[in-house]
Amino acid sequence: VGAVPLYLKMHSEGEFCEEVEWIEAAARHGVCNWPRLFVGVPFTPHRGRRLLTPAWMSTAETVQVQQHLIHGLCAISAQAKLSVNVAFGTENEQELFAAAGFIRRTARQAWWSNRHPEPYHDFADFLRALRVKNAKEIGKQRSSLREDGVIIEVIDGSLDPGAISASLLLEMFQSCYAPTQLRHGNVSLSSGSSGLRFDLNEFFFQMLGER
């Protein structure tokens, strides 16, 4: 038993991968860059498993299923004559894909981690570790948010599943997601009642809250 999150893409939006060099290389060789197959979690540049197997499988069974999944991807790619882009897989999966003939490319991300071996006690302690100019600028930004009445509330569905509801996520769509997509021009026209088509629509957010 195994699965792969596989999508047919007509563009590279939402993949968080540098594409310029690949598009230019495809053009030089007379190869169409799109459509193509995408393995990953759309709009989520976070490393995680892409070759999905049950936790109850033994190590040997897991490896076998992973090989079958990769073989299946290659077969689909060959039959459809489409390239495959696997984004942000685990280190172990990267080795498996490389062994199967996939071309590895480097994606760079900026991650923040707490101080070691002694972590910051609080945010003020973190600011004291910065240059005075940078610390003052961050302080001004935080003060501006407080003056505007902005309140940050962290809702963790893993701790309290009941805190995540369909109404909450619909509010998130209407007050955050939709305006942000409109502001950045990531919206196309549709024949629907709203006249606008988002990559993730209201039904998607509602479904997440219900499930």
Side-chain angles (χ1 to χ4, degrees):
V1 179
V4 173
L6 180 64
Y7 300 84
L8 176 64
K9 296 290 297 293
M10 304 302 293
H11 52 71
S12 59
E13 295 176 7
E15 297 182 18
F16 296 93
C17 299
E18 294 293 336
E19 287 292 304
V20 176
E21 293 83 359
W22 289 87
I23 295 173
E24 292 177 348
R28 287 196 300 269
H29 290 84
V31 177
C32 293
N33 200 50
W34 301 288
R36 70 176 178 201
L37 301 172
F38 173 73
V39 177
V41 182
F43 311 102
T44 308
H46 193 280
R47 175 177 288 183
R49 294 192 304 140
R50 302 296 179 253
L51 302 174
L52 307 180
T53 57
W56 46 260
M57 277 187 174
S58 67
T59 301
E61 290 173 330
T62 298
V63 172
Q64 186 177 17
V65 172
Q66 288 176 328
Q67 294 294 344
H68 282 302
L69 292 174
I70 293 176
H71 178 75
L73 276 176
C74 294
I76 294 173
S77 173
Q79 292 174 11
K81 296 183 179 179
L82 298 175
S83 62
V84 182
N85 178 28
V86 182
F88 305 108
T90 64
E91 292 184 9
N92 177 64
E93 290 175 340
Q94 291 176 25
E95 298 301 326
L96 294 175
F97 280 113
F102 282 69
I103 300 173
R104 189 195 303 267
R105 61 177 179 175
T106 302
R108 303 186 185 280
Q109 295 180 317
W111 287 63
W112 185 89
S113 58
N114 208 337
R115 182 175 56 189
H116 296 287
E118 181 182 355
Y120 298 108
H121 299 296
D122 50 31
F123 196 80
D125 189 23
F126 167 68
L127 289 181
R128 285 192 290 271
L130 301 179
R131 294 180 178 178
V132 174
K133 180 180 179 181
N134 294 340
K136 286 184 176 180
E137 182 62 30
I138 294 175
K140 288 181 181 179
Q141 294 172 355
R142 288 167 61 85
S143 297
S144 177
L145 290 175
R146 285 193 295 270
E147 292 170 1
D148 291 340
V150 176
I151 299 174
I152 298 176
E153 180 181 2
V154 178
I155 301 176
D156 192 336
S158 64
L159 297 177
D160 181 12
I164 307 298
S165 65
S167 60
L168 174 65
L169 291 187
L170 282 176
E171 181 184 348
M172 177 65 67
F173 172 85
Q174 295 163 358
S175 63
C176 181
Y177 178 78
T180 300
Q181 295 299 302
L182 285 167
R183 187 163 56 251
H184 291 280
N186 299 328
V187 180
S188 57
L189 297 177
S190 71
S191 57
S193 58
S194 67
L196 299 174
R197 182 170 62 240
F198 298 90
D199 288 318
L200 303 176
N201 57 25
E202 285 184 279
F203 175 73
F204 174 82
F205 280 80
Q206 180 179 349
M207 181 180 64
L208 287 181
E210 293 173 348
R211 297 186 180 183

